[in-house]
Amino acid sequence: MNVLFLCKSNVTRSQIAEAFFNKYSKIDNAESSAIIKPQEKMHRLVVRAMNEKGIDISKNISKKVTKKMINEADIIILMNPDLKNLIKINKKVKIWNIPDVISREEDEHIYSEFVKIREMIEEKVKELLIRISR
């Protein structure tokens, strides 16, 4: 099964989801992408949060969603309901209500927000893997 995780810029939520899915899945595959605008590099605080879980995403690349990605996906997961209006998809779509954390890389004071969404996404990925393995 191929899973596509989509968020606005593909540097936080969808990257975290892709990393956890590919870490925990034995046979399925995931990729992630941006609906609006890919960024030049991974957010430093996101990289730090994932490193705490033993996952290095520092070399990941933010990418824009393509028709090919959508066509090859068995399940598409939008990171929040607001994204539904930005893309027209006729496939099986699930919506996760994961808040977007917007910050500069220097904003250490909100690092805990990245950890919070990391934990939310990890739990949702585990639940998804249980559902699709049935």
Side-chain angles (χ1 to χ4, degrees):
M1 175 154 315
N2 291 317
V3 179
L4 177 61
F5 295 100
L6 297 176
C7 68
K8 289 181 183 177
S9 61
N10 192 223
V11 293
T12 305
R13 298 168 297 172
S14 58
Q15 288 281 343
I16 292 170
E18 174 187 358
F20 279 131
F21 189 94
N22 289 330
K23 175 182 178 177
Y24 295 130
S25 177
K26 304 289 185 234
I27 56 171
D28 300 307
N29 182 55
E31 67 179 323
S32 64
S33 189
I35 292 178
I36 298 176
K37 183 180 178 192
Q39 302 298 307
E40 291 181 23
K41 64 179 182 170
M42 293 296 100
H43 195 291
R44 182 181 67 80
L45 297 176
V46 177
V47 170
R48 177 177 152 199
M50 292 306 286
N51 279 339
E52 288 178 358
K53 290 288 192 167
I55 300 173
D56 182 7
I57 64 166
S58 63
K59 293 182 176 52
N60 286 18
I61 297 170
S62 175
K63 53 206 166 292
K64 180 103 168 115
V65 68
T66 65
K67 287 182 183 180
K68 182 178 186 227
M69 289 175 175
I70 290 171
N71 290 336
E72 291 178 353
D74 298 305
I75 297 174
I76 297 172
I77 297 179
L78 303 177
M79 288 294 141
N80 71 36
D82 299 339
L83 300 175
K84 194 171 186 179
N85 299 328
L86 299 175
I87 192 164
K88 301 240 186 281
I89 303 171
N90 295 326
K91 290 192 160 223
K92 188 173 183 182
V93 175
K94 295 195 178 301
I95 298 173
W96 291 356
N97 197 13
I98 308 292
D100 196 2
V101 179
I102 300 170
S103 74
R104 296 183 317 259
E105 290 195 344
E106 308 82 51
D107 291 341
E108 287 286 332
H109 64 285
I110 63 166
Y111 177 69
S112 63
E113 293 300 311
F114 287 100
V115 171
K116 182 179 173 182
I117 65 160
R118 178 198 68 199
E119 296 302 311
M120 290 172 66
I121 293 170
E122 183 177 23
E123 190 61 36
K124 286 195 166 285
V125 165
K126 287 177 177 179
E127 291 169 5
L128 173 66
L129 284 164
I130 289 168
R131 279 197 308 271
I132 64 176
S133 68
R134 292 179 183 168

